[in-house]
Amino acid sequence: MKTSPDAENARFDADRAAWRTLRRYRRAAGGLLAGMGAVTVAAYAAPAAGLVADALWLDVLRAGAKAGVVGGLADWFAVTALFRRPMGLPIPHTAILPAQKARLGEALGRFVATHVFTEADVAAALERIDLPGIVAGLLDDPATAHTVCRTLAGAAPAVMARLEDGRAGSAVARMLPLILGGEEVAPVVARTLRALVEGNRHQEVLSFLLARMKDGLKAKEDSLRAMIEDRVREQGGRILGWAIGGSIATKVLIAVNQELDRIDPQNSELREGFTTWVRGEIDRIETDPERRREITGAIAGVMTHDSIRDWGGDVWRRMRQMIEADMACPDGWAASIVRDTLQRLADQMRTDQALRERVVGWARRMILGSLPFVRERLSRFIAGVVAGWDTDMLVSRLELRVGKDLQFVRLNGTLVGFLAGAVLSLALHLVFGAQVG
C-alpha cells in the first residue's frame, strides 16, 4: 500500500531526529570511555612525574579507572558485534544480526505463532468481544445492504444467462399443468370464487364480459346481420328472405342489445341471479366430488394445450425481464427484501440469546479449529518477510530503534566497571593490607 508524501516526510523527519539522538548518546558513551582511559593514564603518570605521592586513594582510583576502561570496551564490543564486525575485523560470532537474519525470522515467527496466537489467548480474546453485536452492527449498516443488493444485481444477469431461455420456458410450461392441474386445484378455485363473491368482484367480472360482448356485437354487426339474413333465406326461401330478412336481422340485434342493457344495471334481477348461480356452483365444487373432477379435468385440458406451453415460454421471458429490472432498481422489491431480512437478522443478533450463543459457538469452533493452520502459515509468513528484508536496511532499522538503549548499556558498563574495580581494590587493601596495582 502506498503512503502519502506527507506521511513519508513525517517518517523521514522522525528518523533524522532518532539518528541525531543516537549519535549524541554514542558520543556520550565514547566520551565516558575516553575519560576513563584518561583517568587511568593520569593516575599512573602523576606519581612518576612527582606530582602526587602514592596513596591508598590513588590505588583505588587506578583500579577503578582500569576496570571502567575494561567494562566500557567489553560493552562497546558486545554492542557493536550485534550489528557489524568491530573495527572490520573478521572475529568469530560478530555481526550477529546480519549473519543470523534467516534464523532470526524463523525464531520470531515461531515465537509469535506459539506464544501470541495460543488457543487460550484466542479463546480469551473471543470471550472479551461481543461478536454477535459486531455482526449486528454490520448488518445494520446501510452500506452492507447496498453491497448485497449490488452483488445480487451484478450476478443476476449471469445467472439468468446460464438458465437457457428454451429450457426455462419448457420447465415453466411443464410446471403449470402440475401446479394448476392437480386434484387439489378445485378447492382453490372454490375459495377464489368465494372471495370474489364476498367482495362483489364477480359483478365487475360480469360487467367486463358484458362490455366486451357489446363491443363485439358492434364490431361484428354487419357480419351478424348478413348471417341472419342468410339463415332466413335458407329457411323461408329467397323471396321471404328478400322481403323480411333484413327486418328480422335488425329485430334480433336490437333484442340482444336490449337484453344486455337490461343486465347491465347493478341491481338488476339478472345480476342477482348470476350471484345466486355463482354461489351454487361454489357449493357444488366444495361438496360434489363429480363436479370437482369436472373442474380438475377442464383445467388440466386447458393447461396441456399447446398454446399454454407456448405461453409458458413467454411467462419465463417476462419473469426474467422483471427480475433483472427489479434487481437493478435500488428501491425495488428485491432490495426491500434484502434490507428487511438484514434488519430482522440484526435485531435477532441483539435479542435472541440462543442465536447469539450459536454464533459465538460457531465462530469459536471455526477459529480454534483453523488455529494450527493459521499459526503455521503465520510463522512462515513472518520468516519469509524477515528473510526478504535488505540486510543493511534491517541492521540500520534495528539499530535506530534500540541503539539508544544499547548506548546506555555502554555507559552503565563503564560506570559499573569503575565502581566495581574501586570497591574491589579498597576491599583488598582493607583485608590484606597489600597494594594492588
Side-chain angles (χ1 to χ4, degrees):
M1 183 178 65
K2 294 182 178 180
T3 56
S4 65
D6 292 340
E8 289 287 342
N9 292 334
R11 184 173 65 84
F12 290 147
D13 291 340
D15 287 349
R16 283 195 293 268
W19 279 118
R20 286 195 296 268
T21 301
L22 178 58
R23 283 193 292 269
R24 185 168 66 252
Y25 280 94
R26 276 178 178 172
R27 287 193 295 268
L32 181 60
L33 178 60
M36 202 63 65
V39 170
T40 302
V41 173
Y44 279 96
L51 298 176
V52 294
D54 286 333
L56 177 61
W57 69 268
L58 189 58
D59 288 338
V60 172
L61 180 62
R62 287 171 180 168
K66 287 188 292 184
V69 171
V70 173
L73 286 174
D75 286 337
W76 166 82
F77 183 89
V79 169
T80 304
L82 283 174
F83 304 103
R84 61 187 61 84
R85 296 186 183 279
M87 301 177 67
L89 299 176
I91 302 173
H93 305 294
T94 57
I96 296 173
L97 292 178
Q100 303 296 326
K101 183 179 68 171
R103 291 179 59 187
L104 175 65
E106 293 174 0
L108 180 61
R110 286 195 301 271
F111 176 82
V112 173
T114 58
H115 291 84
V116 177
F117 284 87
T118 64
E119 290 189 5
D121 291 334
V122 173
L126 290 175
E127 291 293 335
R128 288 193 297 269
I129 63 175
D130 182 14
L131 186 59
I134 295 174
V135 175
L138 291 174
L139 296 175
D140 267 342
D141 190 351
T144 302
H146 177 70
T147 301
V148 173
C149 292
R150 187 173 57 188
T151 302
L152 292 175
V159 173
M160 295 298 177
R162 292 182 181 180
L163 294 173
E164 298 178 11
D165 288 345
R167 290 185 181 179
S170 300
V172 173
R174 288 194 298 270
M175 285 189 297
L176 285 175
L178 294 176
I179 296 173
L180 300 178
E183 294 183 358
E184 298 301 321
V185 70
V188 175
V189 172
R191 286 193 294 271
T192 303
L193 292 176
R194 190 173 294 282
L196 288 174
V197 173
E198 296 298 331
N200 208 33
R201 298 294 184 184
H202 66 299
Q203 295 294 349
E204 296 181 9
V205 174
L206 179 59
S207 298
F208 174 79
L209 294 175
L210 292 174
R212 297 286 77 78
M213 290 179 64
K214 288 181 179 180
D215 294 339
L217 286 174
K218 290 180 180 179
K220 301 292 185 179
E221 184 174 351
D222 294 338
S223 300
L224 291 173
R225 184 182 296 277
M227 182 186 69
I228 293 172
E229 290 178 356
D230 290 341
R231 295 295 295 175
V232 171
R233 280 195 295 272
E234 289 176 3
Q235 298 297 324
R238 185 174 299 178
I239 295 176
L240 185 62
W242 174 80
I244 63 173
S247 175
I248 291 175
T250 299
K251 289 181 179 180
V252 170
L253 293 174
I254 290 173
V256 171
N257 282 306
Q258 287 177 346
E259 190 63 27
L260 292 177
D261 291 336
R262 191 165 63 88
I263 298 173
D264 194 49
Q266 292 297 320
N267 296 322
S268 66
E269 294 180 359
L270 288 176
R271 282 186 177 273
E272 293 178 1
F274 176 68
T275 299
T276 303
W277 176 80
V278 172
R279 289 184 182 276
E281 286 297 315
I282 293 172
D283 293 337
R284 288 186 61 192
I285 293 173
E286 291 177 340
T287 59
D288 188 353
E290 182 63 29
R291 189 58 173 168
R292 285 191 180 189
R293 284 191 291 272
E294 291 177 1
I295 294 294
T296 300
I299 294 176
V302 172
M303 289 296 106
T304 55
H305 196 271
D306 291 340
S307 60
I308 297 298
R309 294 183 180 275
D310 296 337
W311 178 65
D314 183 64
V315 168
W316 165 247
R317 286 188 292 273
R318 292 176 182 273
M319 286 176 56
R320 175 175 177 176
Q321 293 172 359
M322 291 173 58
I323 293 172
E324 292 179 352
D326 183 77
M327 286 288 187
C329 180
D331 299 324
W333 179 73
S336 64
I337 289 180
V338 169
R339 286 192 292 269
D340 292 343
T341 301
L342 295 178
Q343 183 61 54
R344 286 196 297 270
L345 186 56
D347 294 339
Q348 285 184 315
M349 283 287 182
R350 293 190 177 94
T351 59
D352 190 340
Q353 187 61 33
L355 177 60
R356 291 172 61 87
E357 292 176 357
R358 286 198 298 271
V359 170
V360 172
W362 174 80
R364 182 187 179 91
R365 289 191 299 272
M366 183 188 69
I367 294 174
L368 295 181
S370 62
L371 195 57
F373 173 80
V374 172
R375 281 203 296 252
E376 180 184 357
R377 293 291 179 178
L378 179 63
S379 178
R380 292 181 182 179
F381 173 75
I382 294 175
V385 169
V386 174
W389 285 347
D390 178 74
T391 303
D392 294 336
M393 179 64 70
L394 171 64
V395 171
S396 175
R397 303 301 297 178
L398 288 176
E399 187 174 15
L400 182 63
R401 299 307 172 200
V402 300
K404 175 183 174 181
D405 296 321
L406 293 177
Q407 301 314 308
F408 275 107
V409 171
R410 292 180 57 193
L411 290 168
N412 293 334
T414 304
L415 293 174
V416 171
F418 174 81
L419 294 174
V423 170
L424 181 60
S425 176
L426 180 60
L428 291 174
H429 276 88
L430 294 176
V431 173
F432 299 104
Q435 293 184 356
V436 182

